[in-house]
Structures are given as structure tokens and as C-alpha cells.
Amino acid sequence: MASKPVLKVADFQTEVHNDWCPGCGDFGILRSIQMTLAEMQLDPSNVAIVSGIGCSAKTVHYVKTYGIHTLHGRPLPFATGVKLANPGLEVVACGGDGDGLGIGAAHFVNSGRRNVDMLYIIFDNGVYGLTKGQASPTLRLGVKIKSLPAPNLNEGVNPLWLSLAAGATWVGRGYSYDIKHLVSLIRQGIEHKGYAFLDVLQPCPTYNNLNTKEWFGGEDRKEENQGRPLPRVYKLEGTGYDPVVHSEDELDAKMAQAMMRGREWGDKIPIGVFYKNELVPTYEERISARVPNFLKNPPAKQAIADSKGRPTTDLSRLLKSLAVN
Amino acid sequence: MTQTAKVNELSWIVGGAQGSGVDSSATVFARAAASGGLHVYGKREYYSNIMGEHSYFQVRACSRPIRSHVDTLNLLATFDAETAFRHARNVIDDGAIIYDSALAGTKLDDVPTIEARLRADLQTYLVARGLGFTLQDLLKSAADRGVTLVPLPYASLLTQVADENHIDQLSKISRMVNMFAVAASFGILGYDYELMAKALRDVFRSKAEVAEMNVRGARKAYDLVRGKYDAYPYRLEPIGFNGERRALMTGAQAIGLGKVLGGMRVQTYYPITPASDESEYIEANQIVNVREPAADPAEEESDVARETGSVLVMQTEDEIAAVTMAIGAALTGARSATCTSGPGFCLMMEGIGWAGINEVPLVITLYQRAGPSTGMPTRHEQGDLRFALHAGHGDSPRIILASGDFEEAFHDGAKAFNWAERYQTTVIHLVDKALANSNGTMPIFDPDQVRIDRGELITDGWSGRDPYKRFAFTESGVSPRALLGHPGTMFWNTGDEHDEKGHITEDPVLRNLMMEKRDRKLDLAAREISESDKVNFFGDRTAETVVVSWGSTKGALLDAIDALEREGIKLGFLQIRLANPFPVELVTRALARAKSIVNVEMNFGAHMGGLIREKTGIEPTHHILKYNGRPMSSTELAEALRVIAKGKAPRKQVLTYGV
């Protein structure tokens, strides 16, 4: 038997013209997604990427898998519907921080409650890019980036904390200019059993002139002796950090450490896996407890008609309970 | 007996504080009547409240099929003072009131849940008769009209039941007063108690002990009144079924059954009255029996039903998630729906637009209730026709279908999915509170009448010469539809305008082609959908006066038109089923020759009247409208139509009956 042809990164690229600004951090995330799919050798027709609205949401048009570019703030409920109707699909949701934490905040919170087995990636740059640089939910209070007429009046929300509080069972953060590391995170997020949330720091070179590639890279604070930059971003795994909840009694400690690390910002910005807990049953498992053959015969796979177009559903039992004679 | 008995022509009400079990007592009454072969129609009214406010159930039981409620009341069964205060004046002169003898001294002011407007109204009524403000006074005014008063000693009946069953606290069985009221009703109606006992066992199927205690306890109330009120002329008698198999169910159940039979496998919802009942019913029965071919395909009859199917019912964080989750599920090929009422539908606009531009088969069951805003959440209205037509920005094609009765609701529930898939569009199934919460007897649905049509669906790969394009331009406007996860048919969706593959475009030429392609599907639907799914015509086709209406006014109209026919007044009745694409020719044909066109709607703005004018240029000559939250009765409709027949009606009559 001939082995399957090996899929290359190019097999996950479309011919669609990419209209992001030159130097956009989104390119690194797009590339990482394509590289991860190739690395995992996932069948493109069995992958659905579901996005919201904004620059980042255009990602799906550049990836050669099923691509569903939805509504502002709604990639999660769309993706949830896809995944639960056909759990055999590999589903990845993505969008910007305005999309997921502003207009879509309700879905961000409730997706944690559900713990559906999928990955959600936020392209986190602190601005609404496509509408010309307004402040978005992760931009901090008092920050004045060049696209704003005055300093930001709202406090920034911490996506890692919010996802932990909401019940996400895998929480990670990546950096769009560290592609190798990001590929590893995306892969872990996909492979996680349950709802995985990945926040990706992604400089917007056009509107966010503070949280730039140079800033993350520490170009502004060079080592005194050798003149080398002191990057702000550092990897959790390099510090011996273990994000995994191995048993119920570790829950408080692992959650607390994730919250503590998740607070770091400024001179030290951790990336990596903050939290991973596979002890929580997935939504699919919760349904299966009620509908034993759910995974074997999910909604999308059920035969609803016979060859003559007659419904296969048999209502006799229900009609009998309503009958009066 | 002093008068001729009036057999099987009953309008009955049971009422009480919410949370006290009024619904189950009404269900027992209706099932008992129905299992004697009587035709039953029940109307449920309740407040937006968990406990304490007044709710009631009006049940009609007749020897012929009935489809509506009436204003007259032949028997009022109460166990609290408020129900008697609210409904006593509506009891017909030869009717009867069952009440708790211990409550006769209750003052009107002792009932805080009676609104100031109604309180003042009752006071005026009592003052005019030289009476005081107690329940006894109001009952006396009824008795003066000839109404039979039936006092029941509820407390002593409860004590007896408690003693016999060794129950230490009366509060543990206080809900049994409901069943005393039902049993006393059957007692003075002379109905067979065994049928009530059977109904009790049906309703408390899962609690045999409770059922038997109720059977024995309620018997006491039945025996107490049986044979004691011979002057009361109303009787109920079993009549049998004449071979017909019948069911008793609510509209919400009928719709849910239709959807499941039609192959719905995902339903999303956010809790809202009165739509949630349907989702909860489906979830409670989410494992579905499915016919599987017998081992020998030649013997189709030996198909076996197994518990292999299931409906995923998802309660979501809001209606935005409900509609978008349903769309996501539909993209995988599962027949998917969401179910809501006006305020929830408001949040679904963006989803409808997205499903429209991406040609996703989406079914929305819209249970209308009284708006605007929160309005009257538990009360009835048909105020969302215009909203359903125009919901969303831009032009997004949709099919809008309105059901008039239980049977239509069932079949439309299934049919909506066929149209959604065949025309790859949103189908809004318009129903309402009155239909959802009413119950009635009906011949058991024949599932053989239902067929499943999935339209141009690719399930086994793409064999076309050119690469697959999800939105390929075609003459009909319908492009072969592929599903997420299938090899060889990769596509993209976007809420942006898009090219044939589904990628974003702002090209002016493509834009026009796409807008026109999507709209052509509605032209196709207009050509293909059968006449009987577009309109129904009842009564005299040559009548000078034609009534036009839509939705759940159908039952009251048919009953009113029958009554008027007996008086020699002939009317035609055009029921519009398909609100979009609008059946211009059929409506024009039905109305063109009428001298009077009477538009009947349960809303303030006469939505359908306006739509008819917009689409056909024909303007109704009369409007009968109602917007007080209570559905139209056949009594008040008949009266309004009578005035029109006499040529004395103003252009607009507003119906006002309601408790």
C-alpha cells in the first residue's frame, strides 16, 4: 500500500493575495499555523479554521483548509457549533483581541464553561487595526499610542486571567516573532483534550508604536557591556515551570502559579504554557454521558432519510405518550 | 332537572396562583375529556412571575372539533379567591362556580395581586348592585343572575386525605386542591370518574403513588357534588372515537415533533418565554428512535426502530451564540435550528445576514409575543411579521412561513428544513404564544406524509470537471452545497461579499452577480412551493366579503365563520401561509373581486394588511385588530364580523376581551 504523500507547508497556502501591512505580526502567526498543520500532517479537508472580523480574521482565506470567516466577536460560537455537530473535525478558532475580548467577551467566558475540544488563538496587539487604530481591550489604562488622540481611558483586560477564571483547561501565550516556539504552542493547543486558549503577542507596526517588535525584543534597553538588547519576552519552560495539573489536589497551586506568571508585564513578559488541566471533562464527554453514541453518530453523521426520502426518525414512542386512546 | 341538558358544549376555567399546579389540573381535565372521545381546545394564560400571580387555563370540550376559545364560561372551578374575583362575572347566567366555602368572606382588598384598574372596576360593579366588597358579595351577584354556586370544603377534604394517607402536614398535599376542583367539575357535569382516574394516572405516570392518592382523594370531591346540582344544565358525556386515533398536545410539542421528524439534529436556544418549552421538550426526549433497514432489504416493513439517533440541544450564553452555533452546525450538514421569541430574535440579526450571504440552511422558529421591548413576556401577539421580513441590514433572502394551527405547525416544522436546504437560505417559521401554549386534541400525525428533501447536497465527493466552487453561478441561483470535512470540496465562507470560492471581493461586477444569484433562489422557491403552502382558502369563494389573516387567528376565524354561516352570513377566508416570497398572484386572485376585504391580525400595526397593499396594490376595507395580549376568541371575532356584514362597521375595530 502506497503511503500518503507528505504534506508541505505550501500545501496549506492559498493563492489569495495577502493585504496585511508590511511587517505585520499576523504574518508570523499565519506562517506558524500553516507550519503546524504541515508538521502534524493534518488532512486539510478535515480542518476547519473559524475566524471573527478584523485583520487577523482574514487568516482563514490564506490557509488551504476549510475556512469560515464569521462575524465580529463570534468565531467561538460558530466554531462550537461546527465542532459539536462533527467532533471528528479539527477546529481552530481565531481573531483579534477586540474581537474576542470586547464584542465577543460573552463567548470568551462561556467557551471556558463548556470546554469543547478546540483551540482558540487571539492575535493580541492592543488596537482595532482595520478601523484605523482605536484602543482595544488589552491596551492598558493611560497608554497613548500614536493612533489615539488622547491616552486610553479604559484599563486593559488580562486575557490569561480571564480565560483561567472562565475555565479554559489549557492556557498559553506565544509571540508572533518566535515562530518555532509558536508552532510548538499551536500544536500543543490542538493536541490538548479540551478548550485551549492561546494569546499571541502580535505587534501592529502601523498603529501600536509602543508594543513593537523592538520593544518586545528589548532594543531600548541594551546590555551595558556588549550592547546586546535585553528581550522582554522569556520562555516559561526555560524556568522549570510545570503548568500541568496532575491531580485534583494540585489545582489551587497550579492555578495560583498561572495567575502569578500571567500578571508579569513590562520588563519581563512570559510566553509558553501557563496552565493545562485534562482532568475536567470535555463538553463532548458530558454529552456522551447522556447520549452514549454521540461521538460515533454525531449530528452531522446521522442518516435522517432513507433512499426514498422518508424520514428515518420514528416518533411512535413520543406520539404514544401524547395519545389519548 | 329543570332545563334541557346541554351536553358536550362546555367552556371551563380553572385558575389559581402560579406555582399551585393549575397547569397539571387543566391537563388532567383535558385528558379526561379527550379520552372520552371529546374534542378539546385549551388556552393558557399566565403572568411573567414564578409564584403568586394569577394564572388560568380555559378548556373547551365539545362533541365536534373545535379550534378556539370563546368568551362564554359555563363552569368556573376555583380554589382561591382571586380566580373567583377575576372570572365570576364572565360565567354565563346558567353556569356554575365552584369555590372554597372558607374563602367567601375574603375582601377584594385582601387580594394584592389584583391590579388597581381591575379592583376599581369590580368595586364599581358591586356598588351598582348595592353589594359589599367580599367574595360572598360577588358570588351573590352571580347567583342573582341564575349562576349555580358550588361550595367545596377544601380544608376538610385535605384533612381527610392527610388522615387516610398518614401525612403529618397538610402543606405536603396542598396542591391536591387542584384535583378537588377538577373532580368537583366532573361531578356536576356528570362525567365518568374512571376517565379522570385514567387521566391522573397518565399525568403522574412516573409517580404511581401520587397518582393513586390523587385518584382516591379527588373522588371525595366528586362524590360530594355528584347528583346535587340537577338544575345546572351542562353535562359531559363520553362519545368514543369513531376509529380515529387522537393525541392531546401543545403547539410547542407539535412543532418540536415536526422538527425532529424532519431530521433536526441540532437545536440551540437561550431561555425565553414562550419559546423555551419546545427546546426543553426536545431535550427531555433527545435520544431519538431511528428506523433501520431490516437485514433483508426486500422486507421493508420489518424495519426496526432503535435508539441510535439524538438531537443535540444547546443552551447558549445568548441568542447571538444560539444563532451562530446553529449556523456552524449547519455547515457540517446537520439539520440545525434555533428557537426564540421577539427579544431574542433581535439579537439574531447579524447571524441571519451571515447565513444569507453564505447561503446556509438555517431554521429559526420565532414564537411571537407581545412587544415592543420586554412588552408582556407571557402574553400573545403577532407583532413580528414586519420584523421577520426585514430583520438585518442589506438585502438578505429568507423564506417566512406562518402556521395557523397544531397540524400546520407540525408539518411546517419539518418542511422548514427542506426549504432551508433546497434554497440554501434562512427559513423563519413564524408561530406565537397562543399556538405554543394552547393544547388541543388532534388526529395523530401521519409521519408518512413527511418527506425529506436535502436539495443539491454533495455527500460523496466532487466529480465536476472544474475545481469545486461553493458559490458557483447557476441559472437557478442554487449552487451544489458541500459540507465541512468532506474531501475535494474545500470552500471558504465570509460575511464579506465574496467570489465563487468564497473569498472576499469588492469587485462591482461580482457583487451584482452574487446579489442576483442569491435572490434567484427565492424566485425558484416562489415557483416550486405548493399553493397550499402559500395560502389556504376556506368558505365561500363567491362571497362578497373575504376575511384575510395569518397565523394562529385561523382557529378562531374558522369557528366564527361557521357560527356566522349558521346565521346566514357567508364569508370567504384567505389564510396567508407564506409571507415571503409573497404569493402575489394567489392573494390577488382571492381578493380582487371581493367587495369587502377584512384584515384580521393580532397586532397594532396591521402588518399583513400593509404587506398585501405593498405586494398587490389591494387595500383591505376593514381591519379587525387586537393587541391587549390575549388571543382573539371566536365570540368576539364573530361579533366584529357581524357588524361588518351589517354594513355598519368602522374601518378599524379593536377587540378588547381578555382576563
Side-chain angles (χ1 to χ4, degrees):
Chain A
M1 204 173 130
S3 61
K4 275 189 175 177
V6 174
L7 291 159
K8 302 185 191 67
V9 176
D11 293 320
F12 291 93
Q13 294 169 340
T14 63
E15 75 286 8
V16 177
H17 167 71
N18 188 318
D19 61 5
W20 289 332
C21 306
C24 179
D26 286 353
F27 284 106
I29 308 176
L30 169 62
R31 181 79 182 162
S32 302
I33 291 172
Q34 290 162 334
M35 285 171 68
T36 311
L37 298 176
E39 184 185 297
M40 293 177 76
Q41 290 292 296
L42 291 175
D43 174 0
S45 62
N46 200 48
V47 176
I49 305 183
V50 183
S51 65
I53 287 291
C55 295
S56 58
K58 293 182 180 179
T59 299
V60 303
H61 294 283
Y62 309 137
V63 182
K64 207 166 180 180
T65 63
Y66 280 99
I68 310 299
H69 178 193
T70 72
L71 290 158
H72 200 22
R74 318 300 173 213
L76 283 170
F78 270 98
T80 302
V82 170
K83 180 71 182 179
L84 293 178
N86 187 356
L89 285 173
E90 205 56 76
V91 177
V92 176
C94 64
D97 60 296
D99 193 84
L101 300 165
I103 191 167
H107 314 307
F108 187 88
V109 170
N110 285 282
S111 294
R113 294 175 57 211
R114 283 186 283 262
N115 198 32
V116 171
D117 187 9
M118 61 185 186
L119 168 66
Y120 176 43
I121 306 172
I122 278 190
F123 295 36
D124 183 356
N125 60 11
V127 294
Y128 287 91
L130 211 46
T131 49
K132 310 285 185 260
Q134 297 84 356
S136 72
T138 59
L139 195 71
R140 281 151 194 259
L141 176 64
V143 170
K144 162 81 177 75
I145 50 174
K146 68 179 178 186
S147 57
L148 295 182
N152 187 17
L153 284 172
N154 292 297
E155 184 52 277
V157 69
N158 184 325
L160 306 178
W161 277 35
L162 191 58
S163 63
L164 286 165
T169 52
W170 186 97
V171 176
R173 180 156 66 195
Y175 176 51
S176 67
Y177 283 97
D178 189 339
I179 288 179
K180 193 175 159 215
H181 186 244
L182 188 52
V183 167
S184 141
L185 289 173
I186 294 172
R187 178 166 191 161
Q188 290 179 68
I190 289 174
E191 287 173 345
H192 172 69
K193 179 179 78 75
Y195 172 62
F197 168 62
L198 178 60
D199 184 45
V200 183
L201 303 171
Q202 169 256 311
C204 171
T206 306
Y207 296 114
N208 189 335
N209 56 318
L210 296 181
N211 307 121
T212 58
K213 182 183 174 194
E214 291 72 25
W215 181 79
F216 283 114
E219 303 277 354
D220 57 329
R221 45 169 208 174
K222 293 192 172 148
E223 207 177 38
E224 272 182 27
N225 300 337
Q226 318 221 349
R228 280 189 312 221
L230 293 166
R232 288 182 164 80
V233 172
Y234 77 95
K235 296 190 177 78
L236 280 176
E237 53 270 35
T239 66
Y241 182 93
D242 175 13
V244 180
V245 180
H246 300 281
S247 61
E248 291 288 346
D249 57 351
E250 286 184 10
L251 195 59
D252 286 353
K254 295 286 169 149
M255 181 70 81
Q257 96 177 343
M259 303 279 273
M260 291 302 289
R261 289 297 182 116
R263 244 187 80 74
E264 289 179 11
W265 188 261
D267 288 344
K268 284 178 73 188
I269 301 174
I271 57 173
V273 182
F274 286 71
Y275 182 77
K276 177 180 171 72
N277 181 358
E278 288 187 335
L279 303 175
V280 179
T282 64
Y283 200 84
E284 293 88 324
E285 288 169 340
R286 298 173 206 171
I287 301 169
S288 299
R290 287 201 211 170
V291 180
N293 69 345
F294 172 71
L295 288 173
K296 205 178 124 215
N297 198 24
K301 302 287 183 197
Q302 295 185 33
I304 57 169
D306 66 16
S307 57
K308 293 173 183 162
R310 298 178 308 181
T312 52
T313 305
D314 184 335
L315 292 181
S316 332
R317 184 172 48 86
L318 289 175
L319 289 173
K320 197 178 160 205
S321 71
L322 298 164
V324 294
N325 65 325
Chain B
M1 201 178 289
T2 54
Q3 303 172 51
T4 319
K6 297 176 180 179
V7 181
N8 295 344
E9 274 292 340
L10 183 76
S11 163
W12 173 86
I13 278 182
V14 66
Q18 265 163 225
S20 65
V22 170
D23 278 4
S24 35
S25 61
T27 307
V28 167
F29 186 91
R31 283 197 76 89
S35 60
L38 294 168
H39 297 269
V40 165
Y41 180 88
K43 177 185 89 119
R44 182 175 167 229
E45 290 289 352
Y46 52 103
Y47 276 77
S48 178
N49 157 264
I50 294 175
M51 248 185 221
E53 295 278 2
H54 174 67
S55 72
Y56 73 94
F57 218 118
Q58 179 170 10
V59 181
R60 282 179 77 197
C62 286
S63 45
R64 64 192 148 75
I66 38 170
R67 302 156 286 207
S68 63
H69 67 283
V70 289
D71 295 348
T72 45
L73 183 50
N74 313 116
L75 179 55
L76 171 63
T78 76
F79 47 85
D80 67 339
E82 179 168 3
T83 305
F85 272 122
R86 283 184 184 266
H87 299 274
R89 289 182 298 169
N90 300 324
V91 176
I92 198 165
D93 290 353
D94 63 359
I97 301 173
I98 296 166
Y99 68 101
D100 184 347
S101 40
L103 295 177
T106 308
K107 295 191 195 87
L108 188 51
D109 280 344
D110 293 340
V111 186
T113 41
I114 291 183
E115 297 88 347
R117 196 275 311 158
L118 176 60
R119 188 184 309 278
D121 193 44
L122 276 164
Q123 283 167 346
T124 308
Y125 179 88
L126 290 164
V127 166
R129 283 158 185 77
L131 294 166
F133 294 161
T134 67
L135 182 58
Q136 188 64 57
D137 290 298
L138 187 63
L139 292 171
K140 181 176 181 309
S141 77
D144 289 347
R145 293 190 284 120
V147 173
T148 302
L149 299 185
V150 184
L152 264 195
Y154 282 99
S156 104
L157 286 168
L158 270 186
T159 310
Q160 288 175 45
V161 173
D163 288 349
E164 283 172 20
N165 294 282
H166 312 291
I167 288 160
D168 51 349
Q169 284 172 319
L170 281 190
S171 61
K172 288 184 180 164
I173 54 166
S174 60
R175 287 164 76 98
M176 201 183 275
V177 294
N178 278 284
M179 297 311 163
F180 294 153
V182 172
S185 301
F186 283 132
I188 70 164
L189 291 165
Y191 198 61
D192 182 358
Y193 186 75
E194 277 314 303
L195 291 170
M196 173 164 176
K198 177 177 178 290
L200 276 167
R201 291 181 183 119
D202 277 352
V203 170
F204 297 109
R205 202 171 299 154
S206 54
K207 300 179 233 169
E209 236 171 88
V210 176
E212 291 315 313
M213 189 169 72
N214 273 278
V215 167
R216 290 192 307 273
R219 176 89 209 190
K220 296 178 196 306
Y222 181 86
D223 289 341
L224 214 52
V225 300
R226 180 86 158 108
K228 304 248 171 66
Y229 296 90
D230 283 348
Y232 177 71
Y234 295 92
R235 295 288 176 273
L236 279 190
E237 290 173 3
I239 54 172
F241 293 87
N242 221 353
E244 186 174 82
R245 278 202 71 216
R246 231 174 268 161
L248 174 73
M249 70 180 85
T250 65
Q253 287 172 322
I255 297 164
L257 288 171
K259 289 165 82 170
V260 174
L261 180 65
M264 180 180 77
R265 291 300 177 259
V266 174
Q267 166 127 323
T268 60
Y269 81 106
Y270 181 80
I272 191 166
T273 307
S276 309
D277 290 354
E278 181 201 307
S279 300
E280 284 160 25
Y281 179 66
I282 295 170
E283 187 171 8
N285 298 287
Q286 74 178 142
I287 298 209
V288 174
N289 281 347
V290 171
R291 279 190 300 114
E292 288 180 354
D296 176 3
E299 293 174 49
E300 282 201 7
E301 294 312 309
S302 58
D303 281 4
V304 281
R306 293 182 211 283
E307 290 186 346
T308 55
S310 60
V311 185
L312 174 63
V313 179
M314 291 281 295
Q315 184 189 322
T316 59
E317 55 269 34
D318 54 33
E319 285 89 351
I320 297 172
V323 71
T324 51
M325 226 176 262
I327 296 169
L331 291 172
T332 69
R335 284 193 157 186
S336 306
T338 183
C339 177
T340 190
S341 182
F345 190 66
C346 287
L347 295 189
M348 295 187 177
M349 304 301 87
E350 56 179 3
I352 292 172
W354 196 92
I357 202 166
N358 286 291
E359 310 194 33
V360 184
L362 169 70
V363 172
I364 301 178
T365 313
L366 173 53
Y367 288 83
Q368 301 164 93
R369 71 184 211 195
S373 190
T374 309
M376 293 196 285
T378 60
R379 307 294 178 175
H380 172 55
E381 197 161 271
Q382 297 177 296
D384 298 344
L385 174 59
R386 282 292 188 185
F387 185 27
L389 277 166
H390 302 295
H393 55 284
D395 290 293
S396 174
R398 77 219 34 204
I399 292 173
I400 300 176
L401 174 67
S403 303
D405 56 32
F406 302 123
E407 195 147 10
E408 283 177 7
F410 170 81
H411 286 286
D412 292 349
K415 202 175 293 164
F417 292 98
N418 287 347
W419 293 352
E421 288 202 295
R422 185 165 181 82
Y423 308 113
Q424 298 182 18
T425 194
T426 300
V427 176
I428 300 170
H429 182 192
L430 265 184
V431 289
D432 56 50
K433 185 264 170 179
L435 185 66
N437 289 162
S438 296
N439 65 4
T441 44
M442 60 204 86
I444 285 201
F445 304 128
D446 177 11
D448 281 348
Q449 288 178 20
V450 174
R451 284 291 177 276
I452 288 178
D453 171 10
R454 306 210 60 180
E456 290 194 45
L457 183 65
I458 307 166
T459 51
D460 47 5
W462 176 244
S463 51
R465 202 158 40 89
D466 301 321
Y468 175 71
K469 289 177 181 164
R470 169 67 189 93
F471 303 104
F473 294 120
T474 61
E475 204 179 318
S476 66
V478 175
S479 321
R481 183 167 67 101
L483 304 172
L484 297 183
H486 287 240
T489 51
M490 195 173 291
F491 63 80
W492 290 265
N493 280 164
T494 171
D496 290 60
E497 191 56 272
H498 47 72
D499 61 18
E500 289 178 276
K501 282 186 178 172
H503 289 306
I504 300 170
T505 184
E506 296 184 21
D507 181 85
V509 175
L510 273 182
R511 160 68 173 179
N512 277 11
L513 289 172
M514 277 297 168
M515 288 294 283
E516 289 149 14
K517 160 197 174 2
R518 291 191 288 267
D519 191 63
R520 278 204 299 283
K521 297 184 299 179
L522 280 194
D523 293 340
L524 181 69
R527 289 197 300 276
E528 291 185 341
I529 291 174
S530 73
E531 282 199 12
S532 65
D533 286 333
K534 289 175 175 165
V535 299
N536 282 321
F537 198 94
F538 303 94
D540 191 345
R541 283 218 174 247
T542 63
E544 292 188 347
T545 301
V546 176
V547 177
V548 57
S549 192
W550 63 283
S552 69
T553 55
K554 179 185 181 185
L557 269 168
L558 287 175
D559 283 350
I561 288 167
D562 279 359
L564 292 174
E565 199 174 354
R566 290 195 287 274
E567 297 168 20
I569 300 171
K570 290 198 165 180
L571 299 168
F573 167 30
L574 176 72
Q575 179 205 0
I576 297 181
R577 302 253 294 118
L578 193 67
N580 202 59
F582 194 78
V584 178
E585 276 176 38
L586 290 170
V587 173
T588 305
R589 208 187 306 156
L591 299 181
R593 276 179 308 187
K595 281 196 179 153
S596 302
I597 297 167
V598 185
N599 176 53
V600 177
E601 289 183 71
M602 186 67 212
N603 61 44
F604 186 88
H607 298 205
M608 184 59 89
L611 188 63
I612 291 170
R613 187 178 168 191
E614 176 192 322
K615 298 290 185 182
T616 67
I618 298 172
E619 189 169 5
T621 55
H622 296 83
H623 293 281
I624 299 175
L625 304 175
K626 189 172 185 182
Y627 39 83
N628 70 355
R630 277 65 173 176
M632 292 178 179
S633 70
S634 46
T635 317
E636 57 182 347
L637 262 175
E639 186 47 35
L641 291 168
R642 219 173 262 128
V643 178
I644 291 171
K646 285 180 191 154
K648 291 180 180 167
R651 197 165 170 275
K652 177 166 106 175
Q653 297 183 73
V654 177
L655 306 183
T656 57
Y657 189 84
V659 179

